[in-house]
Structures are given as structure tokens and as C-alpha cells.
Amino acid sequence: MKASKLKQREAGSFNIQPILVVSLLGVSDHVSVYWNLETTVNVLKFIYGCPLDLSFNNFLPLLEGALFFGLDDLLLECKTWFCRTTSTKGLSSVQIPLDSIIEIWNFGLDHAIDFLAELCTGYFARNFMWAVSCSSFSYVPFNLLCSCIEHPHLTVDSEKHLCEALLGWLTSNVGSMEFSSNTEDDYGSILEKVQLNLLPLWFASGKRRNHYFSKLADESTSDIFSLMKDPSMSSCCVLRVSGRNSRIRLTEYTEKVDLSGCPQITSAFLLSALPCSNNMDLTLTGTLNRSSVKLQCFDGARHLISQSLFQLLAFEAVCEVDVSKCPNIHFEAAIELFCKSFPSLKILKASYCSHFKLETLFHLVRECPLVNEVDLTTDVSPIIPTQVSIVSATVEEYQELGGVSYKILKDKPLLSSITKLVLKGRSDIDDMDLQKLSLLSSSLSYLNIKGCTSVTDMGISKLICKSMKLHSLVVSDTYFGRNSTLVLCSDSPLDGFPAMPCELNFSTSLAFRLQKLHIGGCKNVDVRSLLQLMSCTYSLKSLCLRETVVDDHALNNFSGSSLEKLDISETMVSGASLTQLVRRNPGLKLFKVRSCRKLSLWEGRLEVVEALPYHGFSGEELSFELSRRCTLEGAEFGWGLSPFSLKNLGPAIRSLRTITVGLGGTLGEYGLELLLTVCPLLEAVVLHFQVISDNIVKRIVESLKHIKVLGLCYCLGGLSSLSFQLSMPNLRKLRLERVTPWMTNDDLVTLTRSCTSLIELSLSGCTHLNSDSQQIISYGWPGLISIHLEDCGEVTSEGVSSLFDCKAIEDLSLRHTGENRVEEKLVQVQLPPLLDPPPFHVFFCHHKGQLSSRVMEHFDVVPPTSSDSSGVDPTQGRGIQRNFIVDAASRWPMLRKIALDLCDANEGGFDSPSYAGRFSLNTVRIAKCKQQRCSLDFQCFENCRKSVHKETIILEWNSKGLKTIIVKERV
């Protein structure tokens, strides 16, 4: 945008149609007056006592009329209306469009009407989050923006949102070459209003290459690590960092507080950063902060913070707090603060905080009785027992645990208001915990225990039995099975296991009332149970049957007509039964049918389906029904998808936002070009096993301006470096798996310039990369939170060093990234007598720490011999350093998952961290390979050997203990 345009906005570029125009023609022949008839009539009506119908459309013309005719009463009427309109609280206050606010503000400056500028600034400040989402935000004059930032009623969810908004405004307005460096500096100074030590680490780290924010981003990152380095100094740092005020922005209008992704946040930090009464002595504040730090170190059921020691202000409007990915918060103490500062709190999000214990949840219910939604999501374990072959498993529970018993909780009844509870991935939750949770079930309507692998079908069924208001159930990848199905399908379930339901009346069963049911990956649900469950469900809006035994007969028994989301991936459902389901459910928005081998969709051939009343099925029927009835926003296709079927689907996929095409789909270049033409709104495209080319990638980049996710996995075709030379500034996630074997460091540099906003990167099969690639990745994408590198040349042949410059890594996978890797020593481990499989080998290589102690205690270990057949000491090779896991956990405060290969270890193994030394780390996966020999002749072994996967060791920490699992699969 040109500088002249920006100056016009500041001077008032929104022209107002005047009430009259006076034109002098010639010298003094005559005077022409052009009246705005509607405004003039309204002014006259007001003069004669008629009521006015003011709105933002006629406010300025009437105000101008009042000024022109000198009508003080009309001026007062306009001022009263505008004051009342701009001072309304809550979302209902958003009545005046942003462009009208800008126009009114400019009018006030031009006519020296002070109350207009003040009211516009206050309205803008209170509704800042809404204003940022408006397309006209970039047209906001700089002076208005500055006034808004300084306004005491500035209301934002977080400092991140404020910083993003300011950076977006600067990018739109100061990107012109017409601006001098001084002018650019003047406008850029507005970023100094951002409170740097309240930014999320990933955000601050990711902005280190931003033209306007690079220096402040470095300062913010440094401040965050300083706060984490010495938690006892948090309170002092909060008040003095960079000489800025470091209070959390809270006003009487604040409804949401978002502190997610901030590892620097502790209970002491919260105590210092929450606004308090003006008469609170700073010396007393320091004392309180030191006391709060002691509270964090004290492990108990409850930590009372005496209200007589400090005076926190209460913000009644706050109903949601998000402290997800804040690993250093002591939640017992934090809940005391939330209770005091946010008495109307209803929603608490603490996802990816594995240290949030079940006892803390009960503490939350007691202290914050209005809370009705809690999200305690963690990463789903890579080990789903029903999907992998477990060779061995050991568990060590922490001795310091002392949870509250069910009996004690039952004797102290809780008045729970919790309606939605998300426990996704909480592998520390078992049947006893579900029994405790049943005490909260009286109000529970939404339950998500996806990936809770420690609970049984019996435990799930008992909890369901007591949750009479349940309407949403997410139990994917658990042991959900026959018992739970019986409870759902029973009439008026009571304690214990009810009898089979009546076949003709399911209206009183829980299944009949369910609106959301996700049982994907539940292998314990047999055909009969699934058939019964489908017969009982009627009100479903979201249904996931991924990787279950569902077939046509079961699906045809579902008679519901309200489905909006359907996932039947990797099932044996056919196109005929799907056609009937689509015909009954025209509101489908999400449609996942990937890896359905029986789904001969759109192939034009006939299928014979006994479950249907007719025996002929045309492959065109499903695509016809979808295109005629549905407007999809997300889809996953596989077998049977072709350019012909895609063309038939046209009307159904025009609003598509995300699409995944898997194995079996055969779009080809024509089909992919058709997809990009028909679906211009796509934001996520993931292609598996498709034929692609430079032209296709170029079309994706040029056609999809807002694409955020791009995945090209195991695709065929001739890609070259030209594919990624076009700019993709909005791309956030990039997966290039086995499609760019030619990629060099120069190509990687080009990629960093094209995709400047990446936060997740996955590369595999890039065999030409080397150790310098680490520096390119860390410099090009300093804000990465996920890095997956597999079979990528010699990236880690000299260890891992430069990757540590990506400060906010949460998920790291480095597998077969040291091409010149050495052979590991074999440590033979004999299985205990209870396990019958033959002896196997584990590559531990003098491993020490918890990993070795966990395994060595349970197996008879045969030490490695001192000699090596190759004559080379394998402990002196190149590769990832032995203490890398421990080092990574300490240097990456957000790191939760890490995956490595023993093949890449420079000493043949890795040290595992202690419980205290793991910080945020929850999951470690270490894959082991074995040599595939082509001959028994050891003379030619070097020429015939090949590394193949053998097994994987998984370490999983949770709030209760450590699991050490060995599985056959590569996970």
C-alpha cells in the first residue's frame, strides 16, 4: 500500500455526503444549493418534535446537520445515542462496523469534536479482538491505533494476539518503498507496547526473522529463558524486565485469558502479573512472590494462599482461561489465584500439562464451582495395545504418589457443574480413576477419553452407566467394547449391567440421545455389538467408525438423518450402503473414506450387496448423491477416486477446506488440476501415492493463496527444485516424504525463503543433506515446534548442535540421519520364563539411567564381548551424542516427544533422563535395526548386509509413573 494512501486515511479518506453543497457559478450570477433530502427531512422532523431513528448509517449526516444549523438539542441527541451505543458491554456491543468507526473518528478530528475521538477509541479498544478480524483493520489510522493501545480498556485475549495484530498492520501499511527508514522506525515503535515476557515461546522464537520484530523477538526469547532459569526470581523479573509493565492485560470487558505456550509462567509469575489493588505495597509483593515459589515446591493436596496477604482484583467477565503448554505452573496454587481473580470462571484449558493430576481436578471443582468445561488433553500414546505387538512391558510407579481414595471423595459430596471433560491421551487414567470421575457424572454431557489406554471396557461401561446426561462420547483407541455397548443401548440404565434392550424402543437409551460417538480403533467392538449400537443411535451428528469391523449390514441399520461428520476410514463398507446413508443425511460436512478397499466408488461397475433391497449399484450414484445433497468442508478419499468421480463431485466440494488423498486414489495430473480449479478455498492438501509434477506444485501455490498445510508423501513423478521457488507465506506445515531425494542444502535455503512461516517440518529420503542442514533449518525457521527428519543423508553425522537454535521444539524425530553410522554392540537379552518367544537382542550398548534399570531388572543380560569382528570400536563413531536426550530435555523446555534410531548413536546408545531431569518430556521412542544377511559367509557380509527394523523401545512418563515398552513395529 502506498504512503499517500496511508496519509489519506489519517486525514480522513472516508468522505461524508454533505447535507448541502453551495456552488457559486460565474462571478455572482446565482447560488446553487444541493440538499441531501433524507438528512434534511430528518433534521426538520427533529425540529418539529418528531422522534429520530438513529443508526450508524445516518449518524454522521445528522451530526453534520446539527453543526450546520446550530441545533444544540440535535447535537446532544446524537452524542447521547453514540455514547450509549459505544458503551454497551459484551459481544452485543459490536454494532458499528469498523470502517464506520474510522470514518467517525476522522470526522471528529476534522471538526474538533473531542467526544467522537474519545468514544471511538474506547469502542475500538474494548472490541479490539473483533476489530482485528475485520477486513478494514489495515485501514485504521496510525494515531487511532496508538490511542487504542494506550487506552486503559484495551481488551485482548493475549499479548500474542496484540503482537500479531500490530505486525499485520505494519506489514500492510509500511511495506512500501516510499517510506523512509525514519518513518518506518516511527511506525515500528508501536511494537514496544507489547509485553515481551508474556509472549509464548514458539511465537517469540518464530519472529526472530521478522523485519519489524527481530530485535524485540530476541529480547523476548532471552527474557523467557531468564525467567525459566531461576524461577525464584520470577516475581522480581516480572516487574523489572526491560523496564516495562508486565501485568496481564485485564479489563472489566475481558472474557478470555490466553497464556498458552508460555513455559515461563509459574504460580509466582501469575501472582505478580495479575492486577492487584493500587494500595498493595511492592515490598509485600516481593514477600508474597517468594512465598508462592515455596508453594510450588511443596507437594500436597492443597496450597492455601491467605487472602489477607494480598488483594487481587476480581474480573467478573472472565469465563475462560487457557494455560495449555505451561509446564511450570503448579496448578494447586494457580487454582487459588483463579478462584480469587476470576470468580465466574467456566472454562479451563490445561492441555499438554501431564502434571495436572486427577486430584487437582477435584480441587478445581471445589474452588471454582461454576467451571463446566475442562480440557486436560495430552499426546496420545504411540502404543495402542490393540494395534501393536508388545514384546515386553514394565511399569514403575512413583512412590511419592498419595491420591485421594474414592471413599474419601464419596464421603465429601461435590456439587459439580462440569458438563464437558476432555481427557484425551491421559494414559495415567485407569478404572479406579474413572470410578472417582463418576462422582462428577451427574452433570457430565461430553466425555473424551480417546487414547486412554489404561482403562478397560468394564471401567468405561460403569462410568457411562452413571452419566445419564451424556450426549457426546469419544472413546477412540481404547478398550471400549461389548459391555459399554450394552450400557449405551439399554433402556434407562441403572447401576450394574442392564438387560438387553427392547428391539422396538430405544428412545430412552443413551445411544438414542447421543449426538457424537467416536469409537475409531476400538478392536473390542464385535460385529454383533456394532450392529446393535448402530440400530440404537438416531440423533448422531458426528460418527467415527475408523478401523472397526463395521460393514454394510451395520451401517444400513443406522437410521439417523442429522450426520454432519462421518469417518469410516479403513473399514469394509461399500459404496452402495454409503449412498443410502448420504441420501438420508444431506448435512454432511466432513466425509472420510480413506483406505476403504471395498469402496469401489465411481468406477462405474456393479456391486452386489445383499443387505440392500436392490442388487444393482452404479458407481455414479454415490458421487451424484454427494454432489446433489452435501456441501463438504473436509474430506479424505482413497480407493476408487478418479478424475471422473472428482468431476461429478464438483458441487459438493466447492467449499472444501481440507482434503487428503490416500492409497488407491488415481487423480493424475488432470485430476489434481481439476481439484485446484473446483476447490479454490483449500487450506490443507495432503497427497499420498499420487503422480505429481512441478506444474502441479506450481498450480497449488498459485491457486491456493491461503494454503496452510501441504503434504506430498510417497508420490511419483518428476519434481525438481523449481517446485518450491514460489512464495507460500501462509504455509504452516510442510511434509515432503520420499518425493525430493535430490534436495541439497541450496534447495533447503530456497525452501526457507519460500515458506517463511513454517512451524512444522517433515522431510524424509533427502539423502543429499548434511550436517550444515541443521543450521539452515534453525536459521530459516527459528519458530519450528515439530521437526521430523528420516533417511536424510548425514544431517546428524556430527551430532546435533544447530537445531538447538529452534528454541520451542515440542516434537523431534531424527531417524537414520547419520549416513556414516556405525554398527551397534549386541546385548543379548533373555526373556523371562513367563514369556515364550525365543531370545531377542536389544541394542542398549552400556546404557545407563532409568532405561537400563527398568529393563535390566527384568531380564537376564549377557554382556557384550570385548572384541568386535569388524576390528572397529563401535563406541568411537560419528553420530548423535550419547547424552542427547538428557541435553534436549533441558534445553528445549517445551519438548514432549522425541524419536531416535540407535543406528545414529555415536556410542551405540543413549542415556535416558531421570524423572526430575526430563522436564516436559513425556515420550521417548528408540528404534533398533538388525543386519539382514544375504549369506552365511562372513567374508562377504560387508557387501551383502542390509539394515532392517527389528523393534522399538518406548519410554512413557505420566503423572503416575514410567512405562518401558518394547514392540515389534516401528512406531
Side-chain angles (χ1 to χ4, degrees):
M1 183 168 296
K2 302 300 182 182
S4 57
K5 292 185 178 181
L6 182 61
K7 294 176 182 177
Q8 287 176 6
R9 292 177 202 152
E10 296 190 14
S13 62
F14 293 88
N15 296 322
I16 304 167
Q17 185 177 2
I19 188 171
L20 58 84
V21 177
V22 179
S23 175
L24 299 178
L25 300 179
V27 180
S28 59
D29 292 338
H30 65 279
V31 175
S32 299
V33 179
Y34 301 94
W35 296 88
N36 182 322
L37 184 59
E38 181 181 357
T39 303
T40 304
V41 169
N42 285 331
V43 171
L44 292 175
K45 287 170 65 177
F46 178 81
I47 292 175
Y48 286 96
C50 296
L52 278 179
D53 183 17
L54 277 164
S55 68
F56 66 84
N57 291 317
N58 62 10
F59 170 71
L60 276 184
L62 286 173
L63 184 63
E64 187 180 23
L67 293 173
F68 182 82
F69 289 108
L71 299 175
D72 292 339
D73 290 343
L74 179 56
L75 186 64
L76 180 62
E77 181 76 11
C78 290
K79 180 178 180 180
T80 302
W81 175 86
F82 196 58
C83 287
R84 183 174 62 252
T85 303
T86 56
S87 61
T88 307
K89 293 184 180 181
L91 293 177
S92 59
S93 65
V94 184
Q95 300 174 357
I96 308 177
L98 181 59
D99 53 358
S100 295
I101 289 292
I102 298 172
E103 184 179 2
I104 294 170
W105 185 83
N106 282 323
F107 182 86
L109 290 184
D110 294 340
H111 295 81
I113 306 176
D114 293 338
F115 79 86
L116 284 184
E118 293 175 3
L119 292 176
C120 285
T121 302
Y123 183 86
F124 184 25
R126 287 191 296 275
N127 298 284
F128 188 82
M129 294 298 296
W130 158 79
V132 170
S133 64
C134 297
S135 58
S136 55
F137 179 75
S138 60
Y139 294 90
V140 173
F142 178 72
N143 290 333
L144 174 58
L145 187 61
C146 288
S147 300
C148 173
I149 303 304
E150 296 287 352
H151 199 278
H153 286 168
L154 175 63
T155 303
V156 292
D157 292 349
S158 68
E159 288 300 305
K160 176 181 75 72
H161 289 94
L162 175 61
C163 189
E164 281 183 327
L166 298 180
L167 286 173
W169 188 92
L170 286 170
T171 302
S172 299
N173 290 283
V174 194
S176 172
M177 295 301 294
E178 296 179 18
F179 274 95
S180 66
S181 59
N182 292 334
T183 305
E184 184 174 326
D185 291 341
D186 292 340
Y187 281 104
S189 64
I190 195 173
L191 290 170
E192 295 180 1
K193 304 298 181 181
V194 176
Q195 297 176 165
L196 300 181
N197 58 341
L198 288 175
L199 290 175
L201 177 58
W202 67 268
F203 181 82
S205 181
K207 297 301 179 184
R208 285 184 292 162
R209 285 190 62 196
N210 185 278
H211 176 68
Y212 308 107
F213 200 65
S214 58
K215 292 182 179 179
L216 293 176
D218 285 335
E219 183 180 340
S220 175
T221 304
S222 177
D223 290 346
I224 291 171
F225 275 90
S226 296
L227 289 169
M228 288 188 295
K229 185 177 181 180
D230 187 2
S232 63
M233 296 299 293
S234 295
S235 57
C236 300
C237 292
V238 168
L239 296 175
R240 69 162 177 80
V241 166
S242 302
R244 298 185 179 91
N245 177 32
S246 298
R247 300 287 186 189
I248 297 174
R249 295 182 194 269
L250 290 170
T251 71
E252 58 182 301
Y253 307 95
T254 303
E255 296 182 358
K256 180 179 179 181
V257 178
D258 185 357
L259 300 173
S260 60
C262 296
Q264 71 272 26
I265 298 291
T266 63
S267 301
F269 190 110
L270 284 174
L271 182 58
S272 298
L274 288 172
C276 58
S277 299
N278 292 331
N279 60 354
M280 183 175 177
D281 185 74
L282 290 180
T283 305
L284 179 59
T285 303
T287 304
L288 294 173
N289 291 330
R290 290 191 291 272
S291 300
S292 183
V293 172
K294 294 179 181 178
L295 283 175
Q296 295 182 78
C297 303
F298 181 76
D299 187 15
R302 184 171 180 172
H303 306 284
L304 294 177
I305 303 177
S306 175
Q307 296 184 9
S308 63
L309 294 179
F310 62 93
Q311 302 173 17
L312 290 176
L313 295 177
F315 297 89
E316 299 284 348
V318 174
C319 60
E320 179 178 345
V321 173
D322 191 347
V323 287
S324 301
K325 298 182 181 179
C326 293
N328 295 316
I329 286 184
H330 190 287
F331 282 103
E332 294 282 347
I335 288 171
E336 300 289 343
L337 299 177
F338 295 157
C339 175
K340 175 69 176 178
S341 296
F342 315 128
S344 302
L345 184 64
K346 295 181 179 179
I347 301 174
L348 177 64
K349 295 182 179 180
S351 56
Y352 304 102
C353 296
S354 59
H355 59 292
F356 193 113
K357 301 178 183 179
L358 189 63
E359 288 73 19
T360 309
L361 176 61
F362 289 101
H363 179 52
L364 173 67
V365 172
R366 291 191 192 95
E367 298 299 321
C368 304
L370 297 181
V371 168
N372 57 30
E373 181 178 331
V374 180
D375 186 350
L376 303 178
T377 297
T378 60
D379 296 297
V380 175
S381 170
I383 306 302
I384 306 299
T386 57
Q387 300 177 9
V388 296
S389 304
I390 297 178
V391 177
S392 68
T394 61
V395 178
E396 180 185 355
E397 295 186 355
Y398 301 140
Q399 296 180 355
E400 64 269 28
L401 288 177
V404 182
S405 68
Y406 171 74
K407 185 178 185 303
I408 294 176
L409 291 172
K410 190 174 183 181
D411 292 340
K412 297 180 180 180
L414 295 174
L415 297 177
S416 172
S417 300
I418 292 182
T419 58
K420 182 175 182 179
L421 181 60
V422 180
L423 299 171
K424 177 182 175 182
R426 298 292 302 229
S427 59
D428 52 337
I429 301 292
D430 57 22
D431 285 358
M432 182 58 68
D433 294 320
L434 291 186
Q435 186 180 20
K436 296 176 184 178
L437 288 173
S438 66
L439 299 174
L440 310 177
S441 61
S442 60
S443 58
L444 196 62
S445 60
Y446 184 107
L447 177 64
N448 184 341
I449 55 173
K450 177 181 179 180
C452 294
T453 55
S454 299
V455 298
T456 66
D457 183 31
M458 183 76 72
I460 297 173
S461 63
K462 289 182 178 179
L463 178 58
I464 294 175
C465 189
K466 295 183 179 181
S467 305
M468 298 301 298
K469 296 182 179 180
L470 202 64
H471 63 65
S472 297
L473 183 62
V474 181
V475 289
S476 299
D477 301 320
T478 66
Y479 286 104
F480 177 93
R482 183 173 181 273
N483 290 326
S484 300
T485 301
L486 287 176
V487 173
L488 285 174
C489 298
S490 304
D491 288 339
S492 302
L494 301 173
D495 290 339
F497 294 99
M500 294 290 289
C502 173
E503 295 181 359
L504 302 177
N505 183 14
F506 302 111
S507 61
T508 60
S509 67
L510 280 174
F512 185 86
R513 302 193 298 271
L514 282 181
Q515 298 178 20
K516 184 174 186 178
L517 177 63
H518 288 197
I519 57 174
C522 295
K523 305 295 186 180
N524 288 353
V525 184
D526 55 31
V527 176
R528 182 180 177 185
S529 298
L530 197 54
L531 179 62
Q532 179 185 355
L533 188 57
M534 290 296 97
S535 301
C536 296
T537 52
Y538 179 79
S539 306
L540 287 178
K541 294 183 178 181
S542 180
L543 175 62
C544 175
L545 300 173
R546 164 187 54 84
E547 298 179 55
T548 62
V549 293
V550 65
D551 56 12
D552 290 344
H553 187 42
L555 197 62
N556 291 331
N557 273 273
F558 172 68
S559 58
S561 58
S562 305
L563 271 184
E564 297 177 0
K565 299 179 181 180
L566 176 65
D567 184 357
I568 56 166
S569 304
E570 300 187 48
T571 63
M572 298 302 292
V573 172
S574 69
S577 59
L578 266 181
T579 300
Q580 285 200 5
L581 184 142
V582 170
R583 189 174 291 135
R584 295 192 304 269
N585 294 271
L588 274 175
K589 297 179 181 179
L590 180 66
F591 189 62
K592 295 184 179 182
V593 292
R594 184 180 170 191
S595 300
C596 293
R597 293 180 176 272
K598 277 190 65 178
L599 195 59
S600 300
L601 301 181
W602 316 303
E603 288 296 325
R605 60 175 186 166
L606 296 180
E607 292 188 37
V608 177
V609 184
E610 298 177 358
L612 296 177
Y614 53 88
H615 296 286
F617 168 72
S618 171
E620 299 179 7
E621 290 185 32
L622 178 56
S623 57
F624 173 75
E625 291 295 337
L626 283 170
S627 63
R628 188 167 69 95
R629 298 176 181 272
C630 303
T631 302
L632 299 179
E633 297 177 0
E636 291 186 6
F637 297 115
W639 293 97
L641 183 64
S642 66
F644 176 75
S645 59
L646 195 65
K647 186 175 182 179
N648 289 342
L649 280 171
I653 59 177
R654 282 181 183 148
S655 300
L656 209 61
R657 301 280 181 173
T658 64
I659 187 171
T660 298
V661 181
L663 183 63
T666 54
L667 290 180
E669 186 166 345
Y670 172 75
L672 290 172
E673 289 186 354
L674 180 63
L675 175 68
L676 299 176
T677 302
V678 177
C679 310
L681 302 179
L682 279 173
E683 296 178 357
V685 178
V686 181
L687 305 176
H688 296 261
F689 301 102
Q690 301 301 301
V691 178
I692 58 175
S693 63
D694 285 341
N695 184 51
I696 291 298
V697 177
K698 182 179 179 181
R699 282 291 310 275
I700 290 175
V701 175
E702 293 177 343
S703 304
L704 308 178
K705 297 298 183 182
H706 302 289
I707 189 168
K708 298 177 181 178
V709 180
L710 177 62
L712 304 176
C713 309
Y714 300 91
C715 292
L716 305 176
L719 287 186
S720 70
S721 58
L722 297 176
S723 299
F724 302 101
Q725 291 183 357
L726 297 176
S727 177
M728 291 181 278
N730 297 315
L731 195 67
R732 306 290 282 170
K733 301 178 182 180
L734 177 64
R735 294 171 58 190
L736 300 176
E737 300 179 3
R738 311 290 176 180
V739 293
T740 54
W742 40 262
M743 182 177 287
T744 63
N745 285 340
D746 290 338
D747 299 322
L748 196 59
V749 170
T750 301
L751 199 59
T752 62
R753 294 170 179 169
S754 302
C755 312
T756 56
S757 302
L758 279 191
I759 60 172
E760 294 187 17
L761 174 68
S762 178
L763 300 176
S764 66
C766 304
T767 56
H768 295 289
L769 300 182
N770 57 34
S771 57
D772 293 336
S773 305
Q774 290 187 44
Q775 187 173 6
I776 297 172
I777 291 173
S778 60
Y779 179 78
W781 299 299
L784 284 175
I785 64 174
S786 175
I787 300 177
H788 286 200
L789 303 176
E790 183 168 357
D791 290 325
C792 287
E794 301 180 359
V795 172
T796 61
S797 61
E798 298 181 9
V800 177
S801 55
S802 297
L803 287 183
F804 284 115
D805 292 333
C806 296
K807 304 294 185 180
I809 294 296
E810 300 175 12
D811 180 10
L812 179 70
S813 179
L814 302 173
R815 290 184 152 178
H816 287 178
T817 51
E819 192 169 88
N820 294 331
R821 53 186 178 270
V822 299
E823 297 301 315
E824 302 86 2
K825 286 189 178 181
L826 296 179
V827 178
Q828 186 172 7
V829 179
Q830 189 71 38
L831 287 170
L834 293 178
L835 301 178
D836 294 328
F840 64 102
H841 295 80
V842 180
F843 296 85
F844 285 118
C845 308
H846 306 291
H847 193 63
K848 64 181 180 180
Q850 286 194 354
L851 175 60
S852 59
S853 63
R854 299 289 84 60
V855 178
M856 301 299 184
E857 289 176 359
H858 293 85
F859 303 110
D860 298 323
V861 180
V862 179
T865 59
S866 58
S867 60
D868 186 83
S869 58
S870 64
V872 179
D873 184 0
T875 66
Q876 301 301 319
R878 304 164 62 198
I880 301 175
Q881 49 270 41
R882 182 187 187 87
N883 66 338
F884 173 68
I885 298 177
V886 178
D887 197 24
S890 63
R891 296 178 66 176
W892 282 319
M894 306 298 288
L895 184 65
R896 302 193 313 273
K897 299 185 292 183
I898 189 168
L900 304 170
D901 264 46
L902 284 177
C903 300
D904 299 322
N906 69 347
E907 295 184 37
F910 301 102
D911 293 341
S912 59
S914 63
Y915 173 67
R918 70 183 180 89
F919 297 92
S920 299
L921 188 60
N922 292 328
T923 305
V924 174
R925 291 174 290 158
I926 303 177
K928 301 179 297 181
C929 295
K930 63 181 179 181
Q931 297 300 314
Q932 187 78 33
R933 301 189 181 185
C934 303
S935 171
L936 293 177
D937 185 4
F938 291 92
Q939 298 279 335
C940 62
F941 174 68
E942 291 293 330
N943 297 326
C944 300
R945 65 182 183 178
K946 178 182 179 182
S947 293
V948 295
H949 174 73
K950 183 176 182 180
E951 55 204 3
T952 306
I953 304 172
I954 300 99
L955 302 179
E956 286 187 340
W957 288 272
N958 56 43
S959 64
K960 289 185 176 179
L962 167 67
K963 286 185 179 179
T964 303
I965 307 171
I966 300 176
V967 300
K968 293 181 179 180
E969 292 80 5
R970 183 177 178 85
V971 295

